[in-house]
Amino acid sequence: MRLEPPAAPPPSSPPSPRPRVVGVRRRDGDAATEPTPDGTAGDGDGEPAPTRWRWLALGFAAAWLLPSFLPHGFDWFLAAIPHEMGHATVGSLLGRPSAPAISLAGHAWAGIGEFRPWLSWAMALGLGTLAWLQRTRPVLAIGLGLVALALPFVARMHLAEVLISLGGHFGELAFAAYCYALCWSGGHTGTPQERIASAMCGALLQAGSLRLAWGLLTDAAVRAHYEVSGSLGMKNDYLVVAEDLCSCRLQTVVGWMLVPGLLALPLGLWWGAVRQRRAHLDD
């Protein structure tokens, strides 16, 4: 009787290697549930919050240490662009055709045209349309809708001139908040370099605004310099509001502007958290 050796099981095929991906950067919101080093889930982009505070602190340190090494006038141009864009944006929304202008010689201004009722209604119609398009986001849609309803009426009021004159400082603070939002959410690349640079720019803008306001409140020499330092001999914004529009003391206007100046950082971080959560939900 012939005995056949037991048949050996066929060799199992080796597991297929996992594909290797090199040089691909994830988008904000990817890997949102991967655990962080402390064993907890990440807060939206796989990065623990303490790391974000570190980038923010490094940006503040850079804003304090680097201005002496940056090109001459860097901080002035950084503030001048959103400042004049703020004037022009508010002016256009309120029915005054406006455009910013910045000179390499260190002067900046915004041309504000006469009131055009049709422009204020066109802006209101545009914002109303945008509110309708954003109807899946109720908070944003309601806010845009309320602004659209108010624009044609505010544009005819004395308040419009006050808002246009303060629009430059609001523009600086809005851009500072946007920079903080980029730091907190990772911006377009999510790299430490972008986060730190964004925090540095936000800190430079906010610190400059607060430094000016505090100096005008407390130092007579700063107020004297402010009265004669307007571009091309023009009157500076806070003086226009205090003397020409509101008939009040300069310190009163500046004291009120300290409030939005202090809110730029918390609003920017909140904005960054909203951007990140929205990107996560979209993915």
Side-chain angles (χ1 to χ4, degrees), residues 86-106:
H87 284 306
T89 301
V90 177
S92 297
L93 286 172
L94 293 173
R96 282 106 174 135
S98 308
I102 299 175
S103 167
L104 295 179

Side-chain angles (χ1 to χ4, degrees), residues 60 77 84 92-93 115 128 135 156 182 224 272:
F60 286 166
F77 282 101
E84 302 308 331
S92 297
L93 286 172
F115 176 55
R135 60 189 181 277
R156 296 177 178 273
L182 291 180

Side-chain angles (χ1 to χ4, degrees), residues 213-269:
W214 186 252
L216 293 174
L217 274 175
T218 61
D219 194 333
V222 174
R223 290 193 293 272
H225 175 72
Y226 187 73
E227 291 178 356
V228 298
S229 61
S231 289
L232 303 176
M234 294 183 290
K235 187 180 289 189
N236 278 315
D237 298 331
Y238 288 146
L239 285 172
V240 171
V241 175
E243 297 177 356
D244 300 343
L245 299 176
C246 296
S247 300
C248 64
R249 297 173 67 239
L250 175 64
Q251 291 92 323
T252 302
V253 176
V254 173
W256 280 105
M257 285 300 294
L258 278 174
V259 176
L262 293 171
L263 289 177
L265 176 59
L267 287 177
L269 299 186

Side-chain angles (χ1 to χ4, degrees), residues 112-184:
I112 309 295
E114 296 296 326
F115 176 55
R116 302 286 193 275
W118 64 266
L119 182 57
S120 65
W121 284 103
M123 292 293 179
L125 179 61
L127 287 178
T129 303
L130 186 58
W132 171 256
L133 295 175
Q134 297 293 326
R135 60 189 181 277
T136 56
R137 298 172 179 170
V139 175
L140 179 59
I142 291 173
L144 289 171
L146 291 176
V147 173
L149 291 174
L151 268 185
F153 304 99
V154 175
R156 296 177 178 273
M157 298 167 60
H158 181 69
L159 176 62
E161 300 297 333
V162 177
L163 293 175
I164 293 171
S165 296
L166 294 177
H169 293 286
F170 285 135
E172 290 183 44
L173 294 171
F175 189 63
Y178 176 68
C179 289
Y180 289 137
L182 291 180
C183 172
W184 197 252

